[in-house]
């Protein structure tokens, strides 16, 4: 049984948080899905994601959490295309994908979903973004090797205890 506070919204970065590459550098759009379900880039190179991510997103949605994306990539079309090809849009309530400080992305997400910063958790692999979001009171988790079920559980436990 869960105790303590629960967040309303979990927000994820993309590059090196949900998938193990920079979408503007390491892979080459346009992307497509082959008949066996594998997503490839324009050179036929397989495009992957951190293994547990689809299950994580599905379970968060099933448990009633809102899910957001905040990415500062310049490869907006490529990122959007991958989210579609991976089938993740069904689990995502708000996407903000464009370069710049993530405080802007979060202001938009806050307005779009009507959720306060203190009711969010943010996951990102870059310390500069973590630092920015902590200034407005978002519980921000530095992700080292991609999002996993364990990363989520540790964050939810931290939130429940009211830690920052
Ligand atoms: Mg990143």
């Amino acid at each position: 049984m869960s105790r303590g506070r629960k967040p309303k919204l979990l927000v994820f970065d993309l590059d090196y948080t949900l998938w193990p590459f920079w979408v503007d550098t390491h892979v080459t759009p346009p992307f497509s899905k082959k008949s066996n379900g594998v997503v490839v880039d324009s050179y036929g190179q397989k495009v992957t994601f951190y293994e547990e991510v689809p299950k994580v997103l599905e379970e968060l949605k099933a448990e009633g959490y809102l899910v957001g994306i905040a990415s500062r990539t310049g490869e907006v079309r490529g990122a959007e295309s991958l989210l579609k090809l991976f089938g993740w849009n069904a689990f995502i309530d708000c996407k903000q994908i464009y370069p710049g400080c993530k405080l802007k992305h979060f202001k938009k997400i806050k307005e779009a979903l009507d959720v306060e910063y203190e009711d969010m958790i943010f996951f990102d692999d870059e310390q500069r973004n973590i630092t920015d979001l902590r200034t407005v009171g978002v519980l921000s988790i530095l992700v080292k090797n991609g999002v996993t079920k364990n990363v989520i559980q540790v964050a939810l436990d931290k939130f429940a205890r009211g830690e920052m």
Side-chain angles (χ1 to χ4, degrees):
M1 197 144 71
S2 62
R3 290 166 293 151
R5 291 178 66 232
K6 279 182 145 187
K8 293 178 181 161
L9 165 68
L10 287 80
V11 181
F12 299 93
D13 168 50
L14 292 175
D15 295 348
Y16 288 101
T17 296
L18 296 190
W19 53 55
F21 52 85
W22 286 326
V23 69
D24 70 347
T25 307
H26 300 132
V27 290
T28 309
F31 305 108
S32 56
K33 193 188 269 188
K34 301 207 291 185
S35 55
N36 61 3
V38 172
V39 174
V40 295
D41 75 357
S42 63
Y43 291 103
Q45 178 193 355
K46 185 179 176 183
V47 182
T48 58
F49 43 77
Y50 290 113
E51 196 181 347
E52 293 184 23
V53 167
K55 195 74 187 160
V56 163
L57 295 176
E58 188 182 347
E59 288 182 3
L60 288 175
K61 207 74 220 134
E63 287 166 23
Y65 294 105
L66 293 167
V67 173
I69 298 293
S71 167
R72 43 199 298 175
T73 186
E75 185 46 65
V76 179
R77 287 176 65 187
E80 290 274 12
S81 169
L82 286 182
L83 290 173
K84 188 176 179 195
L85 291 169
F86 289 156
W88 296 352
N89 283 332
F91 311 120
I92 296 169
D93 299 285
C94 184
K95 289 178 282 188
Q96 297 292 319
I97 304 174
Y98 41 82
C101 175
K102 288 201 182 179
L103 287 171
K104 182 179 176 187
H105 300 65
F106 271 75
K107 188 168 181 286
K108 297 274 188 191
I109 292 172
K110 178 179 185 286
E111 289 167 2
L113 299 178
D114 194 24
V115 175
E116 298 300 320
Y117 289 135
E118 53 264 36
D119 293 318
M120 304 180 186
I121 306 180
F122 173 43
F123 300 86
D124 197 294
D125 67 300
E126 286 190 66
Q127 185 61 50
R128 61 176 178 169
N129 298 323
I130 298 296
T131 302
D132 284 344
L133 270 299
R134 282 182 180 158
T135 67
V136 292
V138 175
L139 173 58
S140 301
I141 307 293
L142 187 66
V143 176
K144 299 272 173 61
N145 296 297
V147 162
T148 62
K149 288 186 191 184
N150 187 56
V151 165
I152 299 292
Q153 193 54 57
V154 169
L156 289 173
D157 290 346
K158 200 170 179 183
F159 190 97
R161 292 192 302 268
E163 291 177 29
M164 272 305 291

